[in-house]
Amino acid sequence: MDKIVIEGGRRLEGEIQISGAKNAALPALCATLLCPGRFVISRVPRLRDIDTTIKLLSGLGVEIGWDGENVLAVNSENLKNVEAPYDLVRTMRASCLVLGPLIARMGGARISLPGGCAIGERPINLHLKGFQKLGADISLDHGYVTADASDGLKGGRVYFDIVTVTGTANLMMAATAAAGETVLENCAREPELLFLAEMLKSMGAEIKGAGTDRITIKGGRKLKPADISIIPDRVETGSFMAAAAITGGHLVLKDCNPADVESVTSKLVETGCKAQCGDNFIEITGPEKLKPVDLETAPFPGFPTDMQAQMMAVLAVADGTSVITETVFENRFMHIAELRRMGANIKHSGSTAIVNGVDRLFGAEVLATDLRASASLIIAGLAARGKTELRRVYHLDRGYQRIEEKLERAGANVCRVKDV
């Protein structure tokens, strides 16, 4: 197993290329199940979650493989299996995104329940209620969901009791095969969902309202394969912005979408950062001393929960007290204990964390508890005095493509080594 070793105290300077978004690539790969044929998907990040999805699709009969550094060739012609087993679904909750496409194309599916995850419970009951609204019979047995729509899906109205990104994606894909019109209400508005809708439209689907809380799909149109390029990863973008902020550095982030990270940029500007945005780049400079800010996570376009841990690392060395409120996941403060090991002064109760800024963090041996927590510990390590060793980097590899190499090219003293 690997670990990341950081000698802190260096100011970041340079350009960093932003990778394709994991959270756009995963539903896009699942969408290839909707119709037979060959797809070419470019700008796919090389991540553990992508590898898991490749294994999952291969098990369903899809021919899929790399055709270049970040290009996947997908042939969904010979889809023959409709079961997603536990040993794959348990490692990545987004595996449930095969359910909608399989119901749409094959008239049924059987997948393992994903269960919870480290940052909190994320049940798929809203997905299942939505499929039932479209005419699917749903049953639960021995930890598996079986969906039967052998008589075909029919359009209907689905209201999500809670805003759900994967639920919106799953129902959007299923509804492309439902006869008549489907209206999804209280939808998630994330950029990755707008991207999925654009992909589905390029395949021949008729979809309106993506990016708003009400999406309308006229189903039953014959779909065809399409070649697509994955949008930039907004969480990776925000993470590197945080790295520039905490080191007082200057970074130019290339091939990103500034509109997707406006809430993060706004908060970093409040801390004293300077930011200049172009059509596809962000230039950010960190201040000599960071100012405290308060923030509350919320669904897009609010401040993303996936940036909460990274921002906490930044505010741990701000000149004053910040208050962070987490409203999306109930267990997303596990990184606090590790930041405290580095000298951070953070107290929390329930969904609120009080971050009292300290003059300096100190290197320590720390453990990644989840994907975004691992990024926060790397960011903290960049500013810490001495050596930081991050273990359990398999969490990091789920969502960041070679982050240590990108940081090293920008001046960080960071490397990946074998953890003996």
Side-chain angles (χ1 to χ4, degrees):
M1 190 175 295
D2 294 346
K3 65 181 178 181
I4 300 292
V5 180
I6 307 164
E7 285 282 353
R10 290 194 179 184
R11 181 178 186 267
L12 296 186
E13 178 81 37
E15 295 183 348
I16 291 179
Q17 194 93 17
I18 299 301
S19 301
K22 179 196 78 161
N23 290 338
L26 297 180
L29 289 171
C30 294
T32 65
L33 298 172
L34 284 167
C35 66
R38 298 177 181 274
F39 297 75
V40 176
I41 306 179
S42 58
R43 204 181 184 184
V44 182
R46 302 294 287 256
L47 305 171
R48 285 173 63 97
D49 279 5
I50 298 296
D51 292 338
T52 299
T53 304
I54 290 172
K55 292 177 183 177
L56 178 58
L57 295 184
S58 295
L60 299 175
V62 175
E63 296 177 19
I64 180 170
W66 295 102
D67 186 20
E69 172 62 21
N70 294 105
V71 179
L72 276 174
V74 184
N75 184 351
S76 57
E77 191 76 38
N78 299 314
L79 188 62
K80 61 178 184 291
N81 186 18
V82 295
E83 181 169 322
Y86 172 73
D87 62 341
L88 287 176
V89 175
R90 70 178 176 85
T91 64
M92 186 186 69
R93 184 184 176 278
S95 300
C96 68
L97 286 170
V98 302
L99 190 53
L102 288 175
I103 296 172
R105 179 174 168 187
M106 306 295 282
R110 185 173 186 263
I111 75 162
S112 170
L113 282 169
C117 69
I119 59 174
E121 291 293 323
R122 297 198 278 182
I124 64 168
N125 61 306
L126 298 180
H127 307 221
L128 305 183
K129 287 171 62 178
F131 294 136
Q132 288 175 317
K133 290 282 189 178
L134 301 187
D137 291 325
I138 303 293
S139 60
L140 305 177
D141 182 49
H142 297 288
Y144 277 77
V145 175
T146 300
D148 180 12
S150 50
D151 293 333
L153 296 172
K154 298 177 178 60
R157 178 182 176 273
V158 177
Y159 180 86
F160 296 110
D161 294 329
I162 302 171
V163 174
T164 164
V165 176
T166 52
T168 302
N170 234 342
L171 268 294
M172 196 190 313
M173 290 187 283
T176 62
E181 183 176 271
T182 297
V183 178
L184 308 178
E185 298 195 74
N186 198 29
C187 297
R189 300 163 58 187
E190 272 67 7
E192 295 81 10
L193 290 169
L194 180 58
F195 169 77
L196 176 62
E198 292 302 316
M199 175 184 177
L200 295 174
K201 288 195 286 186
S202 70
M203 293 168 62
E206 187 174 344
I207 301 173
K208 295 180 179 179
T212 73
D213 60 2
R214 189 176 190 270
I215 301 174
T216 303
I217 305 105
K218 291 187 178 178
R221 299 185 63 172
K222 185 176 180 179
L223 302 183
K224 63 184 187 304
D227 295 344
I228 60 165
S229 179
I230 302 299
I231 59 173
D233 193 316
R234 61 193 172 98
V235 182
E236 185 189 50
T237 303
S239 298
F240 285 124
M241 292 170 69
I246 202 170
T247 64
H250 173 254
L251 292 177
V252 177
L253 307 179
K254 301 174 63 179
D255 292 333
C256 63
N257 188 352
D260 291 346
V261 291
E262 284 182 352
S263 62
V264 177
T265 305
S266 175
K267 283 298 175 184
L268 286 172
V269 168
E270 283 186 45
T271 69
C273 292
K274 295 180 180 179
Q276 179 180 347
C277 300
D279 291 338
N280 63 350
F281 75 88
I282 297 174
E283 183 176 357
I284 182 161
T285 305
E288 289 187 14
K289 191 61 180 178
L290 292 155
K291 300 174 185 176
V293 299
D294 296 341
L295 66 89
E296 180 175 308
T297 63
F300 189 86
F303 192 92
T305 181
D306 279 353
M307 277 298 302
Q308 178 256 108
Q310 300 92 309
M311 196 67 180
M312 186 179 291
V314 172
L315 297 176
V317 292
D319 186 18
T321 299
S322 304
V323 179
I324 297 177
T325 305
E326 172 60 56
T327 71
V328 180
F329 293 121
E330 70 275 13
N331 197 26
R332 203 160 204 176
F333 281 150
M334 290 185 294
H335 48 278
I336 290 177
E338 301 303 301
L339 288 172
R340 284 173 179 161
R341 287 175 54 79
M342 302 178 70
N345 182 356
I346 305 171
K347 300 176 182 179
H348 85 281
S349 176
S351 62
T352 301
I354 309 297
V355 185
N356 296 299
V358 297
D359 289 336
R360 183 176 293 276
L361 297 174
F362 298 91
E365 295 182 4
V366 291
L367 293 176
T369 54
D370 62 71
L371 170 55
R372 305 309 174 186
S374 62
S376 76
L377 296 172
I378 285 181
I379 290 165
L382 293 171
R385 176 181 293 169
K387 181 188 295 184
T388 298
E389 296 187 4
L390 174 66
R391 289 180 165 85
R392 294 183 184 170
V393 297
Y394 56 84
H395 287 297
L396 186 74
D397 294 337
R398 287 186 50 231
Y400 292 90
Q401 179 176 311
R402 295 191 285 271
I403 187 174
E404 72 280 2
E405 295 179 14
K406 293 184 178 183
L407 288 170
E408 186 179 26
R409 286 195 292 269
N413 187 347
V414 55
C415 64
R416 178 185 291 255
V417 299
K418 290 294 180 183
D419 189 8
V420 294

